[in-house]
Amino acid sequence: MNGLYDSVGRRIHYLRVAVTDRCNFRCQYCMPSEGVKWMEHNDILRYEEILRIITAFASLGVDKVRITGGEPLVRKGIIGFLHKVTAIPGIKEVAVTTNGSMLEEYASLLKEAGVKRINVSLDTLDPERFKQITGHDALYRVLAGIKKAQEIGLTPIKLNMVVMNGINSDEIADFANLAINNPYQVRFIEYMPFALERKYLFAADKMKQQLLKAGFGKLIPEMSNHSPAQIYRFPQAQGSIGFITPISQHFCSSCNRIRLTPDGNLKPCLLSNQEYSLRERLRAGISDQKLLDTIKQVIWNKPKECDLRNGGKSKRGMHRIGG
């Protein structure tokens, strides 16, 4: 078989790269309430190291790369780096996940760099609640950034809402309305227990029930093309909605991705503590062939299923993994 496969036959062709653990927001579900200690500068992979890793993955059949953080746009030199990523042979799509706070300024630069699409993390449409969740009065900036991205054609735009019971779970219908009036894919994501307690889990079945009560009576299923999201459309809607269910209905059997953390660890499964360090091997002068062999071995050992559904606990906060 051509391509990169694990021991249970899943083809891995999607690499998510966190370029920094730093973020200008302090979202409750991402960072612990007591605050965080940022990684030391020398512990973060240098751009040339990241490019070498992406190039190796591309030679093995990975064709999609998503750049995440932290907040990737806070890292100096990110646009020049993205120009180089999009030029790597074999990479067909480069996307960026952002909190949107700097998107109005960067949207045109991202498109010029060859970025194909963006995901914007947005958990509320209420300005005061936004401030409570993120620690910043910046909803207006995020909405302006989304509008700018739409104007210049940095589309399709995906809006990621982490639904938290008792915090923003009453806004599901408001977000669904965004998909009726705009060409967005609004994705409702079950809360994962990284920083908050499990009592904040609001399962997708409850989300769908809330939409039915709000009058969204007809959900038309759509093919999701190996995406973890279950995608639906409404009649006459410009956009679509999706449900991502890592807790209530995991999608391990179709997982096609691997993550690279800011400090250079390959993480084959988001909801597992299994990690493999590349940073010191790169800095010790690992050969290209040995790097390829290491990547193939890591992929081969990708867990069949994730841990956290069964009560496990992540050793990393989400900001140290990548959204």
PDB file of all heavy atoms in Angstrom, residues 17-36:
ATOM      1  N   VAL A  17      -0.071  20.808  13.348  1.00  0.00           N
ATOM      2  CA  VAL A  17       1.186  21.323  13.882  1.00  0.00           C
ATOM      3  C   VAL A  17       0.915  22.523  14.785  1.00  0.00           C
ATOM      4  O   VAL A  17       0.419  23.556  14.321  1.00  0.00           O
ATOM      5  CB  VAL A  17       2.129  21.751  12.735  1.00  0.00           C
ATOM      6  CG1 VAL A  17       3.414  22.344  13.309  1.00  0.00           C
ATOM      7  CG2 VAL A  17       2.431  20.572  11.820  1.00  0.00           C
ATOM      8  N   ALA A  18       1.233  22.388  16.050  1.00  0.00           N
ATOM      9  CA  ALA A  18       1.130  23.514  16.988  1.00  0.00           C
ATOM     10  C   ALA A  18       2.464  24.245  16.990  1.00  0.00           C
ATOM     11  O   ALA A  18       3.488  23.674  17.374  1.00  0.00           O
ATOM     12  CB  ALA A  18       0.787  23.026  18.396  1.00  0.00           C
ATOM     13  N   VAL A  19       2.462  25.497  16.560  1.00  0.00           N
ATOM     14  CA  VAL A  19       3.717  26.238  16.439  1.00  0.00           C
ATOM     15  C   VAL A  19       4.063  27.010  17.702  1.00  0.00           C
ATOM     16  O   VAL A  19       5.171  27.551  17.819  1.00  0.00           O
ATOM     17  CB  VAL A  19       3.679  27.208  15.235  1.00  0.00           C
ATOM     18  CG1 VAL A  19       3.570  26.435  13.929  1.00  0.00           C
ATOM     19  CG2 VAL A  19       2.541  28.216  15.373  1.00  0.00           C
ATOM     20  N   THR A  20       3.147  27.095  18.651  1.00  0.00           N
ATOM     21  CA  THR A  20       3.413  27.793  19.916  1.00  0.00           C
ATOM     22  C   THR A  20       2.413  27.335  20.962  1.00  0.00           C
ATOM     23  O   THR A  20       1.314  26.865  20.627  1.00  0.00           O
ATOM     24  CB  THR A  20       3.304  29.321  19.741  1.00  0.00           C
ATOM     25  OG1 THR A  20       3.599  29.967  20.986  1.00  0.00           O
ATOM     26  CG2 THR A  20       1.912  29.734  19.292  1.00  0.00           C
ATOM     27  N   ASP A  21       2.796  27.439  22.232  1.00  0.00           N
ATOM     28  CA  ASP A  21       1.837  27.192  23.319  1.00  0.00           C
ATOM     29  C   ASP A  21       1.234  28.496  23.817  1.00  0.00           C
ATOM     30  O   ASP A  21       0.330  28.492  24.650  1.00  0.00           O
ATOM     31  CB  ASP A  21       2.521  26.463  24.478  1.00  0.00           C
ATOM     32  CG  ASP A  21       3.592  27.306  25.168  1.00  0.00           C
ATOM     33  OD1 ASP A  21       4.249  28.123  24.470  1.00  0.00           O
ATOM     34  OD2 ASP A  21       3.791  27.149  26.384  1.00  0.00           O
ATOM     35  N   ARG A  22       1.719  29.625  23.287  1.00  0.00           N
ATOM     36  CA  ARG A  22       1.270  30.930  23.774  1.00  0.00           C
ATOM     37  C   ARG A  22      -0.037  31.352  23.113  1.00  0.00           C
ATOM     38  O   ARG A  22      -0.291  31.025  21.961  1.00  0.00           O
ATOM     39  CB  ARG A  22       2.349  31.987  23.544  1.00  0.00           C
ATOM     40  CG  ARG A  22       3.509  31.858  24.518  1.00  0.00           C
ATOM     41  CD  ARG A  22       4.731  32.649  24.078  1.00  0.00           C
ATOM     42  NE  ARG A  22       5.733  32.718  25.126  1.00  0.00           N
ATOM     43  CZ  ARG A  22       6.519  31.711  25.501  1.00  0.00           C
ATOM     44  NH1 ARG A  22       6.409  30.537  24.891  1.00  0.00           N
ATOM     45  NH2 ARG A  22       7.408  31.862  26.467  1.00  0.00           N
ATOM     46  N   CYS A  23      -0.840  32.088  23.880  1.00  0.00           N
ATOM     47  CA  CYS A  23      -2.112  32.560  23.370  1.00  0.00           C
ATOM     48  C   CYS A  23      -2.451  33.876  24.055  1.00  0.00           C
ATOM     49  O   CYS A  23      -2.094  34.096  25.214  1.00  0.00           O
ATOM     50  CB  CYS A  23      -3.210  31.529  23.634  1.00  0.00           C
ATOM     51  SG  CYS A  23      -4.802  31.964  22.878  1.00  0.00           S
ATOM     52  N   ASN A  24      -3.152  34.742  23.333  1.00  0.00           N
ATOM     53  CA  ASN A  24      -3.570  36.014  23.904  1.00  0.00           C
ATOM     54  C   ASN A  24      -4.926  35.926  24.586  1.00  0.00           C
ATOM     55  O   ASN A  24      -5.411  36.911  25.133  1.00  0.00           O
ATOM     56  CB  ASN A  24      -3.600  37.111  22.821  1.00  0.00           C
ATOM     57  CG  ASN A  24      -4.409  36.713  21.606  1.00  0.00           C
ATOM     58  OD1 ASN A  24      -4.754  35.550  21.424  1.00  0.00           O
ATOM     59  ND2 ASN A  24      -4.705  37.671  20.753  1.00  0.00           N
ATOM     60  N   PHE A  25      -5.555  34.729  24.572  1.00  0.00           N
ATOM     61  CA  PHE A  25      -6.779  34.485  25.326  1.00  0.00           C
ATOM     62  C   PHE A  25      -6.466  33.542  26.485  1.00  0.00           C
ATOM     63  O   PHE A  25      -5.406  32.914  26.516  1.00  0.00           O
ATOM     64  CB  PHE A  25      -7.858  33.862  24.442  1.00  0.00           C
ATOM     65  CG  PHE A  25      -8.553  34.836  23.516  1.00  0.00           C
ATOM     66  CD1 PHE A  25      -9.523  34.380  22.634  1.00  0.00           C
ATOM     67  CD2 PHE A  25      -8.238  36.188  23.509  1.00  0.00           C
ATOM     68  CE1 PHE A  25     -10.169  35.261  21.769  1.00  0.00           C
ATOM     69  CE2 PHE A  25      -8.875  37.075  22.648  1.00  0.00           C
ATOM     70  CZ  PHE A  25      -9.850  36.604  21.781  1.00  0.00           C
ATOM     71  N   ARG A  26      -7.408  33.422  27.412  1.00  0.00           N
ATOM     72  CA  ARG A  26      -7.271  32.518  28.551  1.00  0.00           C
ATOM     73  C   ARG A  26      -8.554  31.704  28.709  1.00  0.00           C
ATOM     74  O   ARG A  26      -9.218  31.769  29.734  1.00  0.00           O
ATOM     75  CB  ARG A  26      -6.972  33.319  29.834  1.00  0.00           C
ATOM     76  CG  ARG A  26      -5.654  34.079  29.823  1.00  0.00           C
ATOM     77  CD  ARG A  26      -4.465  33.134  29.813  1.00  0.00           C
ATOM     78  NE  ARG A  26      -3.195  33.853  29.817  1.00  0.00           N
ATOM     79  CZ  ARG A  26      -2.559  34.231  28.724  1.00  0.00           C
ATOM     80  NH1 ARG A  26      -3.077  33.971  27.532  1.00  0.00           N
ATOM     81  NH2 ARG A  26      -1.414  34.857  28.807  1.00  0.00           N
ATOM     82  N   CYS A  27      -8.910  30.949  27.672  1.00  0.00           N
ATOM     83  CA  CYS A  27     -10.177  30.226  27.680  1.00  0.00           C
ATOM     84  C   CYS A  27     -10.196  29.166  28.785  1.00  0.00           C
ATOM     85  O   CYS A  27      -9.229  28.430  28.971  1.00  0.00           O
ATOM     86  CB  CYS A  27     -10.432  29.584  26.331  1.00  0.00           C
ATOM     87  SG  CYS A  27     -10.648  30.817  25.011  1.00  0.00           S
ATOM     88  N   GLN A  28     -11.333  29.058  29.461  1.00  0.00           N
ATOM     89  CA  GLN A  28     -11.455  28.204  30.633  1.00  0.00           C
ATOM     90  C   GLN A  28     -11.181  26.745  30.338  1.00  0.00           C
ATOM     91  O   GLN A  28     -10.554  26.034  31.130  1.00  0.00           O
ATOM     92  CB  GLN A  28     -12.872  28.346  31.212  1.00  0.00           C
ATOM     93  CG  GLN A  28     -13.218  29.753  31.660  1.00  0.00           C
ATOM     94  CD  GLN A  28     -14.695  29.870  32.006  1.00  0.00           C
ATOM     95  OE1 GLN A  28     -15.420  28.890  32.034  1.00  0.00           O
ATOM     96  NE2 GLN A  28     -15.149  31.081  32.274  1.00  0.00           N
ATOM     97  N   TYR A  29     -11.662  26.245  29.192  1.00  0.00           N
ATOM     98  CA  TYR A  29     -11.534  24.820  28.898  1.00  0.00           C
ATOM     99  C   TYR A  29     -10.156  24.458  28.358  1.00  0.00           C
ATOM    100  O   TYR A  29      -9.830  23.278  28.215  1.00  0.00           O
ATOM    101  CB  TYR A  29     -12.598  24.378  27.886  1.00  0.00           C
ATOM    102  CG  TYR A  29     -12.573  25.133  26.582  1.00  0.00           C
ATOM    103  CD1 TYR A  29     -11.696  24.792  25.564  1.00  0.00           C
ATOM    104  CD2 TYR A  29     -13.417  26.215  26.383  1.00  0.00           C
ATOM    105  CE1 TYR A  29     -11.661  25.487  24.379  1.00  0.00           C
ATOM    106  CE2 TYR A  29     -13.402  26.918  25.190  1.00  0.00           C
ATOM    107  CZ  TYR A  29     -12.525  26.547  24.198  1.00  0.00           C
ATOM    108  OH  TYR A  29     -12.497  27.258  23.027  1.00  0.00           O
ATOM    109  N   CYS A  30      -9.351  25.462  28.023  1.00  0.00           N
ATOM    110  CA  CYS A  30      -8.050  25.230  27.411  1.00  0.00           C
ATOM    111  C   CYS A  30      -6.910  25.364  28.419  1.00  0.00           C
ATOM    112  O   CYS A  30      -5.956  24.604  28.387  1.00  0.00           O
ATOM    113  CB  CYS A  30      -7.851  26.215  26.260  1.00  0.00           C
ATOM    114  SG  CYS A  30      -6.345  25.964  25.307  1.00  0.00           S
ATOM    115  N   MET A  31      -7.022  26.334  29.309  1.00  0.00           N
ATOM    116  CA  MET A  31      -5.961  26.601  30.270  1.00  0.00           C
ATOM    117  C   MET A  31      -6.473  26.436  31.699  1.00  0.00           C
ATOM    118  O   MET A  31      -7.591  26.830  31.999  1.00  0.00           O
ATOM    119  CB  MET A  31      -5.422  28.019  30.087  1.00  0.00           C
ATOM    120  CG  MET A  31      -4.759  28.259  28.755  1.00  0.00           C
ATOM    121  SD  MET A  31      -3.962  29.868  28.667  1.00  0.00           S
ATOM    122  CE  MET A  31      -3.360  29.837  26.981  1.00  0.00           C
ATOM    123  N   PRO A  32      -5.658  25.893  32.596  1.00  0.00           N
ATOM    124  CA  PRO A  32      -6.092  25.734  33.983  1.00  0.00           C
ATOM    125  C   PRO A  32      -6.307  27.084  34.647  1.00  0.00           C
ATOM    126  O   PRO A  32      -5.668  28.083  34.308  1.00  0.00           O
ATOM    127  CB  PRO A  32      -4.931  24.974  34.636  1.00  0.00           C
ATOM    128  CG  PRO A  32      -3.752  25.209  33.741  1.00  0.00           C
ATOM    129  CD  PRO A  32      -4.297  25.371  32.364  1.00  0.00           C
ATOM    130  N   SER A  33      -7.228  27.126  35.616  1.00  0.00           N
ATOM    131  CA  SER A  33      -7.598  28.383  36.273  1.00  0.00           C
ATOM    132  C   SER A  33      -6.436  29.027  37.014  1.00  0.00           C
ATOM    133  O   SER A  33      -6.397  30.246  37.185  1.00  0.00           O
ATOM    134  CB  SER A  33      -8.763  28.141  37.240  1.00  0.00           C
ATOM    135  OG  SER A  33      -8.398  27.157  38.203  1.00  0.00           O
ATOM    136  N   GLU A  34      -5.475  28.218  37.470  1.00  0.00           N
ATOM    137  CA  GLU A  34      -4.337  28.783  38.210  1.00  0.00           C
ATOM    138  C   GLU A  34      -3.295  29.406  37.286  1.00  0.00           C
ATOM    139  O   GLU A  34      -2.275  29.919  37.744  1.00  0.00           O
ATOM    140  CB  GLU A  34      -3.680  27.698  39.066  1.00  0.00           C
ATOM    141  CG  GLU A  34      -3.033  26.561  38.296  1.00  0.00           C
ATOM    142  CD  GLU A  34      -3.986  25.411  38.001  1.00  0.00           C
ATOM    143  OE1 GLU A  34      -5.208  25.628  38.099  1.00  0.00           O
ATOM    144  OE2 GLU A  34      -3.496  24.313  37.672  1.00  0.00           O
ATOM    145  N   GLY A  35      -3.562  29.385  35.975  1.00  0.00           N
ATOM    146  CA  GLY A  35      -2.617  29.960  35.033  1.00  0.00           C
ATOM    147  C   GLY A  35      -1.657  28.909  34.507  1.00  0.00           C
ATOM    148  O   GLY A  35      -1.700  27.740  34.895  1.00  0.00           O
ATOM    149  N   VAL A  36      -0.764  29.329  33.618  1.00  0.00           N
ATOM    150  CA  VAL A  36       0.161  28.388  32.993  1.00  0.00           C
ATOM    151  C   VAL A  36       1.578  28.952  33.015  1.00  0.00           C
ATOM    152  O   VAL A  36       1.791  30.159  33.096  1.00  0.00           O
ATOM    153  CB  VAL A  36      -0.229  28.098  31.530  1.00  0.00           C
ATOM    154  CG1 VAL A  36      -1.590  27.439  31.461  1.00  0.00           C
ATOM    155  CG2 VAL A  36      -0.214  29.369  30.704  1.00  0.00           C
TER     156      VAL A  36
END
